[in-house]
Structure formats: C-alpha cells, structure tokens
Amino acid sequence: MSTSNLNPHIALLPSAGMGHLTPFIRLIPLLTSHNVKITVITPHPTLSISESESLSELFTSFPQVTRKQLHLPLPPLDDEPSSKSQDPFYNRFEVIRRSSHLLSPLLSSLSPPLSALITDMSLASTVIPITNSLQLPNYIFFTSSAKMLSLFLSFHALDDPKAKDFIEISGFEPIPKSWIPLPLLDDANNAMKIYFTECGKKMKESSGILVNTYESIEGESLKAFNSLPPVIAIGPLPPIKFERNKSLAWLDDQPAESVLYVSFGSRTAISREQIKALGDGLVKSGKRFLWVVKDKKVDRDDETELVDLIGEELMERVKEKGMVVKNWLNQEEVLSHPAVGWFLSHCGWNSLTEAIWHGVPMLLWPQHGDQKINADLVERIGVGMWAKSWGWGDSVVVVKGDEIADTVREMTGNELFRLRAAQVQDDARKAFGEGGSSYDRLNDLIDSWKCSP
Ligand code: UDP
Ligand code: UDP
C-alpha cells in the first residue's frame, strides 16, 4: 500500500552562471505553492556578482526556503591545466563537480528526509553516484532546449563527430556540424567536453530529466525521447518579478513597441572592435535601441568605464535615439516593458524563452554553446530572423556596422514576426497555464513525490 507525504522535501542543486541558476529559481514558487518544502544547495563562492545578488534576492523573497552552502575549494583546477577551458563558467562546473563528495553528508543530514534532489545537468555524472548510494531519487534539470538535450544524451556515443558534416541522432533531424559547440570538436580535452560527455552518459540513470520547454514548440523532439528516464517538459517557466533596482526611466519615455533591446546575456563578452561596429550599426539602423554592453565574461572582472569601451564619439551618436548601459539590467523588466518591440539576442535558452513569454520577436545572433541549435528552433517557429553569416565562437571576422544596420531594418520592418510572436506567446502561456501540457507534467511530478513513502 502506498503512503502519502503531503509536504515532500526537495533539494535543488544549481550550477554556475545565471543561465543555470535562473531556471532553478523559477521552479521555487511553483513548488512552494504545492506545499513542497525546498532546500537550495548553493555552491559557494559564486563566480559572478549577478549570481550572488540573485541568491540574496531569492532568500529574502522566499524566507521559507532553506539555504545550504557547498563550500568550494579555490583556487580551482591548477593541478590539471589540460582540462581547463577558456570559459571560466565551464571551469567552475568542473570545480563543483570535484566537490560533489561533500554532498553526501549534507543530503543525509537534511530534515525532514528528502523525497528527491533536482540537480543541474553539468553535475549529473558526479552527483548521481552519490544519490544512488543514498537511494535518493535524482532528477536532472536540463537548462537548454529539448533539441540540445538530444545532442547531450548522444554525444558520448557518437563515432568521430568531427569527420561528418551532420550529426545523426536516431529519431531526430540531423544537426549540422557547424552548429555544434566548438569545444566539443576540439581534439584536446576541455572542461566543457568533459562535463558534456560524462553527464550525457550518466543522465540515463537519473529518475527523470526536466526541461524548460513545452510541447507546441518542441513536440517533435519531445516525442522522440522514447527510452528511460522520462523527459519531462515543464516550461516555459514564468519569470519571477523581484523588487530589485531598475533604472528604466529612459524606456518609459519611448513610444510603444519602438525599441530594439540588444543583449548577449550574462556571460558572453564581445570583442572591442565588434562592440564598436555593433554600436555603429545600431545608430545607422535609425531605430531606437537599448543596448547592454559586456566586455568580460565574468561581471566581477568588468572594470572598464562605458565611455572607454565604446569611445566618446559613439557615445554621442548613441544619444540621438538610443541608450547604452554596461550594468546588469533586469531582463524580465525590459522584455515586459511596452516600449520594447524587438530583441537582438545571443540565443541563450533563457533569453529566448523569456522573449517568447513576452511575445517579443527576435534578431538571432548565436555566439557559442547551444545557441545555434536554439536559434534554429526560434527561426522555425517564425518568431525570429537568424543572421546566419555573422560570427560564431571566437571568430575574428567582425560584422560591419552597415550590415548590422541593414539586417536590423529588415527584421524590424517585417510585421509578420510580431504577429507570429503574439501567437507563440499565447501558446506558451497555455502550455504553462492550468490544464496546459507543462502544467500537467509538473503537477504529475509533484503528485508522484506526494505519493512516495
Ligand atoms: N539576464 C538579465 N540581465 C542581463 C543579462 C542577463 O536579467 O543584463 C538574465 C536573462 O534574463 C536570463 C539569464 O540572465 O534569464 C541569462 O541566461 P541565458 O540562458 O539567456 O544566457 P547566458 O547568460 O547563460 O548565456
Ligand atoms: N546615455 C547612454 N548611456 C548612459 C547614459 C546616457 O546611452 O549610461 C545616453 C542616452 O541616449 C540618454 C542620453 O545619453 O538619453 C542622456 O543621458 P542623461 O540625461 O542621463 O545624461 P547626460 O549624458 O545628458 O548628462
């Protein structure tokens, strides 16, 4: 006979970077509203200031959530430079992975005993053995698209992916090799390749894989996962409105749907030359724009003054119709602002799902990682235009201002994108609303915890 537990206790274990932390945070109100008790295990210290600020905001807004810190040994990875990556976030994944053994006593000391752990995808291979030995169900949260998940789960078993033009994964449409994250095609080992390969393999032993996606956008991919563990589409997870800051006075003064918002997410730095060409292109496009500039991958390292980065002359030209900032803006506030009409995005999965949630059409300029695979998805559903010939990875080819201006005008001049974005927004909200596919999946999952002993 099954017993019931009306207040299951779930621990969440996010990894490094806002793109990995944010979807975990968005799960919290959804779970607490079903009387789920939550403990969040936060790797400490965080790599970026934005992560530490988001966490403070989270624990202030949800005092009922318990915080446990996983203390990381720093400085990281000096012993094995061969596995180091150019990307500090992938290196931080590796440090957290190597600290996973610290979890065992932490997990078993929590009270009441846990019903399950939800673990970031980058930690699957080191955390699953621990939860297995504790006989604790472990759900992996995959923080990108279902299409990307197909690559993640299969990559370790591919035979020489570098040698082919397309990556063939049974049940899925082939993926062009040129869309594959570049570190995966390196001969040398690197932190991304290690986590991708090892976690993709080990995830099959998890209790389930949660994905921040939904059926009407990725139904084909979701159907194609037909072996265990179950892939559970629970998105698009609604953004949470925190109280923090926001100096958006400039946006308040702009006409409705007139502003192009330009941002490359939380961890993508653009070369100085490209920053200048982008600024030139935005000015030449004649559109109003709100442009967030990032010069360093990690915000803590970013000390250059805005004017030194883009130069006095460009700064003056921006003033005609634009606003450029170098600080963190709350993207949720920007995308939900009535003045914002379009989004030039680097195609991080959170950014794309947020723009879909707010019905904002996109100009897609993927930079690295999963972003080309994500861009393709958004282009197919008709909500964005992908500038396919523009730079990728550390490509040194700078896209010129004139070309950027032309493309911005072309994209923003096409009203079909806006019409389609409104339809897709509607579908997304239905998926997550009562009776929608993602709503049902999440409720089933919570019910399953309530029915477990
Ligand atoms: N974000 C933000 N303000 C910024 C930059 C990023 O609020 O100035 C948020 C954005 O809304 C998203 C997350 O940070 O939720 C970035 O995740 P995404 O997957 O889009 O890209 P990543 O930064 O991981 O490349
Ligand atoms: N501006 C900007 N980024 C900033 C500050 C200012 O792009 O960080 C531009 C923007 O176009 C704004 C204009 O400068 O509308 C005027 O800014 P503000 O009134 O704040 O100060 P000012 O530069 O005139 O002293």
Side-chain angles (χ1 to χ4, degrees), residues 17-20 22-23 26 143 261 263-268 292 294 327-332 335 345-352 354 368 370-371:
M18 287 302 288
H20 288 255
T22 301
R26 290 181 181 162
T143 58
Y261 163 55
S263 169
F264 292 84
S266 65
R267 47 173 287 194
T268 299
V292 186
K294 242 181 108 51
N327 52 297
W328 178 264
L329 282 186
N330 181 330
Q331 184 160 297
E332 157 62 8
L335 288 172
S345 172
H346 75 309
C347 304
W349 187 242
N350 293 291
S351 290
L352 299 185
E354 288 158 16
H368 56 83
D370 56 348
Q371 295 159 11

Side-chain angles (χ1 to χ4, degrees), residues 250 306 315 318-319 322-324:
W250 179 85
L306 178 60
M315 202 65 208
V318 163
K319 285 186 183 175
M323 172 59 106
V324 54

Side-chain angles (χ1 to χ4, degrees), residues 85-387:
S85 158
Q86 299 287 328
D87 188 310
F89 289 91
Y90 293 139
N91 290 333
R92 184 56 64 95
F93 289 177
E94 187 57 23
V95 175
I96 305 173
R97 288 158 52 71
R98 291 182 191 187
S99 309
S100 299
H101 60 281
L102 302 171
L103 279 169
S104 192
L106 198 163
L107 292 172
S108 37
S109 70
L110 293 176
S111 171
L114 288 175
S115 301
L117 175 69
I118 302 181
T119 306
D120 184 86
M121 62 207 252
S122 64
L123 312 175
S125 64
T126 51
V127 176
I128 286 176
I130 292 164
T131 45
N132 279 351
S133 72
L134 297 172
Q135 298 188 316
L136 178 66
N138 190 346
Y139 293 81
I140 303 302
F141 196 169
F142 190 77
T143 58
S144 181
S145 54
K147 186 69 190 280
M148 188 64 188
L149 174 61
S150 71
L151 181 69
F152 197 81
L153 290 174
S154 318
F155 192 76
H156 66 92
L158 294 176
D159 181 24
D160 195 8
K162 265 179 82 162
K164 311 195 172 83
D165 290 336
F166 286 88
I167 308 295
E168 311 260 359
I169 301 169
S170 169
F172 294 85
E173 250 183 76
I175 303 174
K177 186 173 72 183
S178 59
W179 297 3
I180 302 297
L182 290 170
L184 295 181
L185 301 174
D186 262 3
D187 287 325
N189 241 351
N190 56 67
M192 183 193 190
K193 203 165 153 185
I194 294 172
Y195 100 78
F196 207 90
T197 313
E198 294 185 359
C199 295
K201 197 168 170 183
K202 196 71 181 174
M203 250 157 78
K204 297 192 176 107
E205 292 175 31
S206 69
S207 307
I209 302 170
L210 311 183
V211 195
N212 185 14
T213 192
Y214 58 107
E215 276 176 16
S216 57
I217 177 180
E218 291 209 86
E220 291 298 310
S221 291
L222 290 167
K223 262 191 245 125
F225 296 108
N226 48 19
S227 60
L228 287 171
V231 172
I232 309 167
I234 56 166
L237 296 172
I240 304 177
K241 286 199 192 313
F242 286 124
E243 298 301 317
R244 195 162 33 137
N245 88 54
K246 307 22 116 178
S247 48
L248 291 176
W250 179 85
L251 263 187
D252 292 340
D253 294 337
Q254 310 305 314
E257 296 184 342
S258 69
V259 173
L260 171 70
Y261 163 55
V262 181
S263 169
F264 292 84
S266 65
R267 47 173 287 194
T268 299
I270 307 289
S271 72
R272 297 233 172 154
E273 211 182 337
Q274 185 63 78
I275 287 176
K276 291 203 168 154
L278 173 57
D280 179 50
L282 293 173
V283 172
K284 283 181 174 156
S285 75
K287 306 301 298 183
R288 291 188 166 82
F289 60 88
L290 169 60
W291 175 27
V292 186
V293 186
K294 242 181 108 51
D295 181 39
K296 294 278 186 318
K297 291 179 181 173
V298 180
D299 52 14
R300 272 184 221 285
D301 304 337
D302 209 338
E303 288 172 344
T304 320
E305 291 295 326
L306 178 60
V307 64
D308 296 332
L309 194 56
I310 71 169
E312 301 268 5
E313 190 204 335
L314 185 53
M315 202 65 208
E316 277 306 306
R317 289 172 66 211
V318 163
K319 285 186 183 175
E320 282 167 39
K321 279 199 146 179
M323 172 59 106
V324 54
V325 297
K326 217 177 129 271
N327 52 297
W328 178 264
L329 282 186
N330 181 330
Q331 184 160 297
E332 157 62 8
E333 295 243 340
V334 175
L335 288 172
S336 61
H337 196 287
V340 170
W342 307 272
F343 181 13
L344 167 48
S345 172
H346 75 309
C347 304
W349 187 242
N350 293 291
S351 290
L352 299 185
T353 51
E354 288 158 16
I356 286 174
W357 184 260
H358 290 295
V360 179
M362 291 164 262
L363 177 54
L364 308 162
W365 188 356
Q367 302 288 320
H368 56 83
D370 56 348
Q371 295 159 11
K372 279 192 173 179
I373 290 178
N374 299 343
D376 170 63
L377 233 146
V378 170
E379 189 177 58
R380 278 181 200 222
I381 55 170
V383 214
M385 185 172 119
W386 177 2

